[in-house]
Amino acid sequence: MSRQTIHELLLDVFKTRFEIDNPGLDENLRETYDFDSIDAIELLSELETFLGRELTQDEKKQAMDIRTLRDIEEYVLRMQQT
Amino acid sequence: MNRRVVITGAAAITPIGRTEDRIMDNLLGGVSGVRPIRSDDLLARQVHCGVFGTVDEEIEYDFPRRNRKTMGPVSFYACQVATEALAQSGLTEDVLTSGRVGVAYGSTHGSPTVQRDLYLILGREGGLRRIGATDYLKSMVHTTAVNITRLFGITGRVISSGTACTTSAQAIGFGYEAIRFGRQEAMVCGGADEYDTTTVAVFDSLLACSTRWNDRPESTPRPFDVQRDGLVVGEGASALVLEELEHARRRGAQILAEVIGFGCSNNGGDMILPNAAGVRRTLLMGIEDARLSPDDVDLVSAHATATPMGDVVEARAIADVYGGSTPVLALKGYMGHTMGACGGIETVLLLHMMKRGVVTRSLNLDEVDPRCAMVNHVTQVAEMDLRVVSVQNFAFGGVNTCLMYRRFD
């Protein structure tokens, strides 16, 4: 998937799953939208659907430092290559 | 330390309504909230009982997503009544977040709807991966209590009783004691249970459910009636804001009534069979805790689930303690047995009746069972000066409770 495709998929997930409309690329999701650790776990299951594979426990733990939409895009790009 | 405790907020969601006016109209009009059981893909067709005490009005919730995401249906009920009761109390955010306010709230078993979905997920290929991050938070046994704390930022103690049919009665009793003995200034107390057929199946398998009135839902359950044939499971919720008297007075709060006593015990024996000695002892504990004599009580709200033996044992225990003249009211004929919510809901209904000076009749009590006839059943709507009332509830496991309330003049 291209970065643009990932971006569009994520915007759709944020809107439908988390009721967050068009978050800015570098906005802190926790501070701005109450996106917390529970949401992060829910998001990972959505990312597994994008990627078409299960993430390992180690890969999931890497996602716990994510703070922005840009971080998520880069995480997905990285997971695509592994 | 032995402080006085008053009620400054009260709210309920019941099969006969939510507002005082609607509830009282239905109580005084003899309108039942028992409906045909809804079809589902699990148990509705297997259970023999075909009725359920149903909340059939749409409730518009206004909770933010950060709160909704950890709520199963039972917590939506709990948070709604807590919101309404706290609004009535007028307690402000700085008090709620001070650490001097706590929550005593529970349900029979968390959210069975969410638990049911989890069981279905776990039976599938790759089930573990399908469990959502919030599924446990929605379904755990203390989900109602901590969803209330999160919604209001409450930082005091959390007590989450989970004793089936005495859940909300214990929550009120333990909340009362937390304030009375100086540990908290106010407590949000009560219980909730959601629509669920697995609860029906539990009682159905124990032959405790009503089954002969499936074609006439409004005619069952029939507490103390000669034709009663078992309980009817229901849903609902209630919340009371309890507060230390001087704390309430200082801020000019409206006081709805005073909690004056709490008795609680266990039969120490059989898990299911009713126990007259245990019930009798608990009623006396409640009366003694209130420093009253049985003659001071104007109305007894019986647990009266309409099981063949439970009602007989309860009537005997009431007669032993109160004699044959104190009026005895059974409210489950209107709503079925709202499980963990029942003691709190029955309290809210009594507060409405106390305020209006009127008592409804025990619905579906057309012909008193001779074995239950030794007490003074309320069979007609009547004006009554209610100064002191008692609410008694009993649960599987042999748990007994008795709450005592006094009108605040």
Side-chain angles (χ1 to χ4, degrees), chain A residues 1-62:
Chain A
M1 288 183 289
S2 68
R3 181 183 279 270
Q4 181 59 31
T5 305
I6 294 167
H7 182 75
E8 286 165 10
L9 285 169
L10 286 172
L11 286 185
D12 184 54
V13 165
F14 269 92
K15 183 171 186 173
T16 56
R17 187 80 183 251
F18 303 111
E19 298 175 22
I20 298 173
D21 249 344
N22 276 320
L25 208 53
D26 294 309
E27 280 185 303
N28 186 308
L29 294 169
R30 172 182 281 273
E31 290 174 3
T32 314
Y33 300 105
D34 276 329
F35 187 88
D36 60 16
S37 57
I38 295 170
D39 295 323
I41 300 286
E42 297 279 354
L43 177 65
L44 283 172
S45 78
E46 296 287 343
L47 299 188
E48 287 182 324
T49 306
F50 294 174
L51 294 163
R53 71 173 177 88
E54 281 187 45
L55 295 163
T56 66
Q57 289 279 303
D58 281 343
E59 287 172 333
K60 286 180 179 176
K61 286 174 184 170
Q62 290 173 38

Side-chain angles (χ1 to χ4, degrees), chain B residues 387-408:
Chain B
R387 207 176 55 85
V388 175
V389 299
S390 160
V391 176
Q392 52 197 49
N393 297 104
F394 318 115
F396 274 0
V399 185
N400 308 306
T401 61
C402 174
L403 286 159
M404 307 290 295
Y405 302 99
R406 181 162 50 208
R407 190 175 66 210
F408 196 84

Side-chain angles (χ1 to χ4, degrees), chain B residues 32 34-37 48-52 209-223 225-232 306 308 364-367:
Chain B
S32 166
V34 176
R35 301 281 181 268
I37 205 164
H48 300 87
C49 179
V51 295
F52 199 100
C209 278
S210 172
T211 57
R212 290 204 306 264
W213 303 86
N214 291 345
D215 57 341
R216 279 179 287 167
E218 70 286 352
S219 298
T220 192
R222 309 177 64 82
D225 186 82
V226 73
Q227 292 195 73
R228 72 188 181 284
D229 69 330
L231 63 80
V232 171
N364 296 326
L365 181 50
D366 297 333
E367 182 183 351

Side-chain angles (χ1 to χ4, degrees), chain B residues 32-45:
Chain B
S32 166
V34 176
R35 301 281 181 268
I37 205 164
R38 293 180 194 136
S39 61
D40 65 18
D41 57 0
L42 193 65
L43 291 163
R45 277 183 298 180

Side-chain angles (χ1 to χ4, degrees), chain B residues 221-397:
Chain B
R222 309 177 64 82
F224 299 123
D225 186 82
V226 73
Q227 292 195 73
R228 72 188 181 284
D229 69 330
L231 63 80
V232 171
V233 177
E235 61 175 329
S238 67
L240 299 178
V241 176
L242 306 189
E243 191 171 349
E244 193 271 326
L245 172 62
E246 293 309 320
H247 189 276
R249 271 187 173 148
R250 275 197 302 275
R251 62 186 192 87
Q254 182 192 5
I255 294 172
L256 307 178
E258 181 173 3
V259 188
I260 54 173
F262 176 50
C264 184
S265 76
N266 193 271
N267 293 331
D270 197 279
M271 292 279 241
I272 295 175
L273 291 178
N275 181 310
V279 171
R280 192 165 50 238
R281 186 171 65 248
T282 308
L283 305 191
L284 290 169
M285 285 170 67
I287 293 165
E288 185 181 347
D289 197 47
R291 295 175 183 168
L292 297 174
S293 75
D295 291 343
D296 296 319
V297 178
D298 299 311
L299 180 72
V300 171
S301 173
H303 187 56
T305 62
T307 58
M309 275 317 294
D311 285 11
V312 173
V313 168
E314 185 172 8
R316 283 182 189 153
I318 293 171
D320 287 348
V321 172
Y322 290 99
S325 60
T326 305
V328 175
L329 176 64
L331 285 164
K332 290 185 175 65
Y334 291 89
M335 303 170 287
H337 188 343
T338 55
M339 297 286 123
C342 74
I345 286 178
E346 285 154 11
T347 296
V348 174
L349 271 48
L350 283 175
L351 292 179
H352 295 334
M353 287 187 262
M354 188 184 270
K355 176 181 162 189
R356 296 189 180 202
V358 62
V359 173
T360 189
R361 63 191 170 94
S362 297
L363 193 63
N364 296 326
L365 181 50
D366 297 333
E367 182 183 351
V368 177
D369 181 342
R371 295 173 299 165
C372 304
M374 67 290 279
V375 299
N376 177 19
H377 295 285
V378 185
T379 56
Q380 297 295 327
V381 172
E383 289 185 4
M384 205 178 286
D385 184 32
L386 295 176
R387 207 176 55 85
V388 175
V389 299
S390 160
V391 176
Q392 52 197 49
N393 297 104
F394 318 115
F396 274 0

